[in-house]
């Protein structure tokens, strides 16, 4: 059932998978935000646009390498069993990030995640992401809106991958979404969504007064080898080029 729903919609939801872990996840998120290196030149700690202008802290990307708690969750047998059921083979962690979506931050334009992952060595249809809700996700705090369907190709193929945190890069043309009913699942803490790197999705701003934290874990088949190091080296290089082009210090992931 899980695999069939994913094949038809490019996503599937598992309710309450990590409900018991929510208190420890909450504590770990607080620790990371309180003790983490959030300096501007740390490419791990990224900012995003605020509603009304300016920027504020938004995410840690990557995150599992600085958090034993999140590292254990990423390798949880309960989770890997679901991932491998969908992929049909053993899987390895490819990418990970913790989005805080603090109050007042804007959302993301409609996009496909694979746009920024081209050249990673992982075919788009073999990349699977997992969103673990640490807080409730609602319309008021900027829940993600998906456009379900059997997506099998990158819609912005040929567009240059650069300035990757420009909200106008890799945006899906609305013509591709005509006739598709958008789906905004409201989540409770501990719920999980498994979704394709090709499914178009977007989100609104957070006007709730609170953070809306989601841990994103992305997996690829183990037979492709360890792609995580290769990806983050390329990721850092692109961010550094973007910063140098803006006359800023290049920075590094630390």
């Amino acid at each position: 059932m899980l695999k069939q729903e994913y094949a038809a919609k490019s996503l599937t939801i598992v309710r309450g998978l990590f409900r018991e872990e929510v208190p420890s996840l909450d504590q770990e998120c607080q620790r990371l935000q309180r003790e983490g290196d959030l300096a501007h030149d740390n490419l791990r700690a990224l900012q995003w646009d605020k509603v009304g202008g300016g920027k504020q802290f938004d995410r840690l990307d990557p995150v599992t390498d600085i958090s034993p708690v999140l590292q254990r969750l990423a390798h949880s047998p309960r989770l890997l069993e679901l991932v491998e059921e969908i992929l049909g083979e053993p899987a390895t962690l490819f990418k990970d990030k913790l989005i805080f979506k603090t109050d007042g931050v804007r959302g993301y334009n409609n996009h496909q995640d694979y746009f920024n992952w081209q050249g990673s060595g992982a075919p788009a249809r073999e990349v699977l992401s997992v969103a673990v809700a640490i807080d409730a996700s609602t319309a008021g705090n900027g829940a993600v809106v998906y456009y379900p369907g059997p997506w099998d190709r990158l819609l912005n193929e040929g567009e240059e991958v650069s300035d990757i945190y420009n909200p106008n890069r890799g945006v899906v043309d609305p013509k591709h979404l005509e006739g598709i009913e958008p789906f905004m699942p409201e989540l409770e803490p501990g719920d999980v969504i498994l979704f394709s790197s090709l499914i178009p999705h977007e989100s609104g701003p957070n006007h709730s007064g609170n953070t809306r934290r989601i841990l994103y874990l992305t997996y690829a088949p183990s037979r492709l080898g360890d792609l995580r190091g290769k990806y983050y080296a390329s990721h850092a290089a692109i961010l550094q080029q973007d910063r140098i082009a803006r006359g800023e210090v290049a920075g590094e992931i630390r």
Side-chain angles (χ1 to χ4, degrees):
M1 179 63 181
L2 189 78
K3 191 169 184 177
Q4 288 83 352
E5 181 177 44
Y6 178 85
K9 299 181 178 179
S10 296
L11 64 78
T12 189
I13 301 175
V14 180
R15 300 288 183 180
L17 184 68
F18 290 117
R19 184 177 294 120
E20 294 182 0
E21 287 82 358
V22 168
S24 63
L25 293 174
D26 172 53
Q27 291 176 8
E28 181 65 355
C29 288
Q30 292 185 52
R31 183 192 71 80
L32 289 167
Q33 192 168 9
R34 181 178 64 249
E35 301 176 4
D37 179 358
L38 306 184
H40 181 66
D41 63 342
N42 181 7
L43 298 182
R44 182 194 300 277
L46 296 172
Q47 298 186 337
W48 191 237
D49 297 340
K50 295 169 59 177
V51 175
K55 292 181 178 292
Q56 64 192 38
F57 171 68
D58 180 62
R59 68 176 66 188
L60 291 170
D61 181 5
V63 69
T64 61
D65 57 316
I66 59 172
S67 170
V69 172
L70 301 185
Q71 181 76 248
R72 286 194 298 272
L73 188 143
H75 294 89
S76 162
R78 275 179 292 158
L79 182 55
L80 288 176
E81 182 179 349
L82 299 176
V83 170
E84 293 174 358
E85 179 182 345
I86 290 175
L87 290 180
E89 57 184 300
T92 300
L93 188 65
F94 162 62
K95 175 177 169 56
D96 49 273
K97 62 188 177 186
L98 176 60
I99 293 187
F100 287 81
K101 197 148 192 178
T102 51
D103 180 52
V105 76
R106 71 181 294 277
Y108 290 81
N109 292 329
N110 205 303
H111 66 284
Q112 296 170 293
D113 285 343
Y114 193 76
F115 176 77
N116 286 332
W117 301 344
Q118 302 172 68
S120 65
R125 297 182 69 178
E126 297 183 1
V127 178
L128 171 67
S129 290
V130 179
V132 181
I134 299 170
D135 301 299
S137 185
T138 68
N141 64 19
V144 177
V145 177
Y146 298 90
Y147 288 77
W151 297 97
D152 61 0
R153 69 184 181 93
L154 185 63
L155 301 173
N156 292 72
E157 191 171 13
E159 182 180 337
E160 181 184 1
V161 181
S162 64
D163 198 9
I164 58 177
Y165 288 106
N166 181 329
N168 297 314
R169 289 287 188 186
V171 176
V172 172
D173 191 317
K175 69 181 182 182
H176 296 298
L177 308 176
E178 292 177 359
I180 300 175
E181 186 70 26
F183 174 52
M184 188 196 72
E186 294 205 338
L187 305 177
E188 294 297 324
D191 289 349
V192 163
I193 297 182
L194 299 95
F195 63 98
S196 166
S197 70
L198 290 172
I199 187 170
H201 57 289
E202 60 192 348
S203 62
N206 181 0
H207 291 308
S208 70
N210 299 300
T211 58
R212 188 233 60 190
R213 298 163 299 183
I214 293 182
L215 174 66
Y216 287 93
L217 304 167
T218 301
Y219 298 86
S222 298
R223 61 179 162 78
L224 298 176
D226 181 10
L227 300 178
R228 189 174 182 277
K230 176 183 176 182
Y231 167 76
Y232 275 109
S234 173
H235 174 76
I238 291 173
L239 292 182
Q240 289 168 338
Q241 291 169 9
D242 293 343
R243 291 189 173 208
I244 291 171
R246 294 194 298 265
E248 301 173 1
V249 175
E252 61 183 353
I253 294 177
R254 62 172 188 268

